Structure formats: C-alpha cells, structure tokens
Amino acid sequence: MENRKSYADQKKSNDLDLSKTDGNYVLDVYIQMIIDEALFKYQKDLLQKQIDDALDLKDHIQFYLLTEQYKKLLGFQT
C-alpha cells in the first residue's frame, strides 16, 4: 500500500502553504509601506527646508520651483 495523504490532509497542507505565502505578501507590503512613508517624509522635510531657505534669501524663482515640487509631492494638480 502506498503512503498517500487523504484529501483532507492535502487540503490542510495546501492551506498552510497559502497562509505562509499570504503572510509573506502582507509583510512585504507592510515593509514597502514603511519605506515609502519614510521616503515621502524625508522628501517633504527637505523641500520644506529648501522653501524656507528660498524665502529667507528672497529668491522668488527658487521659491516658485520648490513649491511646485512640493505640490506635486503632496498630490496637488499644477
């Protein structure tokens, strides 16, 4: 007699394999969200500092260019 798994055992095994894959997928998505948020915050803070510097120097052109980048970063239509 061959050593075969029953249908129920095979289904349980497949379900466990799927849950591992789903867990890895969710973890990967979560990690990507954290990285994206960190990059967004860094870019936003950098642009805010550069805009403040342009204001301090009364550099209207640089201010305009930086605020356009800032609006794009935040998702505003330009």
Side-chain angles (χ1 to χ4, degrees), residues 2-72:
E2 295 178 27
N3 187 9
R4 291 189 179 188
K5 290 183 177 180
S6 71
Y7 175 77
D9 290 338
Q10 286 178 336
K11 182 152 177 35
K12 284 181 188 175
S13 178
N14 288 342
D15 288 346
L16 289 175
D17 290 343
L18 287 176
S19 68
K20 287 179 188 174
T21 332
D22 290 345
N24 288 339
Y25 175 75
V26 170
L27 184 60
D28 289 345
V29 169
Y30 184 67
I31 290 169
Q32 188 62 51
M33 287 171 55
I34 291 171
I35 292 169
D36 290 345
E37 181 67 24
L39 286 173
F40 173 79
K41 185 175 177 348
Y42 172 78
Q43 290 173 332
K44 183 179 170 214
D45 291 347
L46 180 62
L47 279 171
Q48 285 174 335
K49 184 188 178 325
Q50 290 173 333
I51 289 169
D52 288 345
D53 292 344
L55 283 170
D56 291 342
L57 297 172
K58 297 181 172 122
D59 186 345
H60 301 282
I61 295 170
Q62 190 69 6
F63 172 78
Y64 175 76
L65 294 173
L66 291 167
T67 53
E68 289 301 311
Q69 289 179 23
Y70 187 78
K71 289 192 294 188
K72 283 182 186 176

